[in-house]
Amino acid sequence: MPRILRPIRTRSGIAALAVATVLAGGLWIDLSEKDDSAPPVEVRRVSDTEDETIRVSREILNVAGVKGKMTEPGPFTGKCAGRDPEKNYRIIYFWSIWDAPIQDLKQGMENLREKLPGKGWNIRSYGPDTSKSRSLELIADFGRKKFTVMIHLYDESKNPAPKAPESIISVALSSACYQVPEGETV
């Protein structure tokens, strides 16, 4: 079962930077169910994978088509299960969109479900997650570019509390595991 950290939601949106900081401090996230212990992994520079992660992330945002505020902590390097952390890495990128009408966020999720397959993504699941709130969840793999994404819509529109969190779309994007070139370290 993959290890997933649920983002922290606040009135002003998601505290993705805090989550990213915690993860960068030594924890890791594995959004795929692939076996990282099976050799070999592709050799690739960290900067090249970071650049590609940003491009893939922008494509996801464009497909969603939602205009709102967006967190910008940027991608960071994560560990690969069962592999030498000095030589192996994956790039992880958490971000979210908020301060948009709930109907726009719902349409964004529908856009993702409908349009990502046309961009080469395989939708593994789409529907309510297993949380108490049964948040809408989309999990997809981009086999050609070796990414996995988990996207949630946290709908707070029916929450009557005066200081209820805002509704958000939360994105967790992860690259495959790579090895740095000979003579380099992560």
Side-chain angles (χ1 to χ4, degrees):
M1 186 71 181
R3 291 198 229 185
I4 306 296
L5 295 181
R6 185 173 176 150
I8 303 165
R9 293 179 288 152
T10 66
R11 178 125 175 91
S12 63
I14 182 171
L17 183 57
V19 173
T21 302
V22 169
L23 289 171
L27 298 176
W28 58 275
I29 182 169
D30 184 2
L31 295 175
S32 69
E33 294 181 7
K34 298 177 178 101
D35 180 9
D36 282 336
S37 63
V41 294
E42 185 179 331
V43 175
R44 192 167 190 198
R45 291 191 179 302
V46 173
S47 60
D48 293 342
T49 308
E50 285 175 340
D51 291 346
E52 186 171 29
T53 301
I54 291 168
R55 284 191 299 274
V56 169
S57 180
R58 283 185 189 138
E59 183 174 290
I60 291 168
L61 177 62
N62 290 337
V63 169
V66 177
K67 303 295 182 209
K69 293 181 181 174
M70 185 176 156
T71 54
E72 283 292 339
F76 60 94
T77 306
K79 295 181 181 180
C80 297
R83 295 196 177 266
D84 180 353
E86 296 292 316
K87 295 181 181 179
N88 297 278
Y89 70 94
R90 69 177 69 247
I91 300 297
I92 303 162
Y93 195 176
F94 287 107
W95 53 271
S96 62
I97 306 168
W98 77 97
D99 198 25
I102 188 60
Q103 284 311 113
D104 291 359
L105 296 173
K106 288 179 179 180
Q107 183 61 54
M109 290 295 286
E110 188 61 25
N111 291 345
L112 290 163
R113 184 184 69 79
E114 290 177 0
K115 296 177 183 178
L116 282 179
K119 305 260 184 204
W121 289 84
N122 176 41
I123 306 291
R124 288 193 340 208
S125 67
Y126 182 82
D129 66 12
T130 58
S131 71
K132 185 178 178 182
S133 65
R134 309 284 291 154
S135 297
L136 183 58
E137 173 184 74
L138 181 148
I139 300 174
D141 294 320
F142 197 4
R144 187 180 69 217
K145 292 193 177 181
K146 301 179 183 176
F147 284 93
T148 297
V149 69
M150 178 178 282
I151 305 170
H152 283 94
L153 169 61
Y154 296 109
D155 182 355
E156 298 291 343
S157 63
K158 295 181 179 123
N159 188 336
K163 293 189 177 186
E166 292 181 39
S167 297
I168 63 170
I169 289 178
S170 174
V171 177
L173 178 65
S174 176
S175 74
C177 185
Y178 294 101
Q179 182 175 330
V180 293
E182 184 92 20
E184 295 183 20
T185 59
V186 175

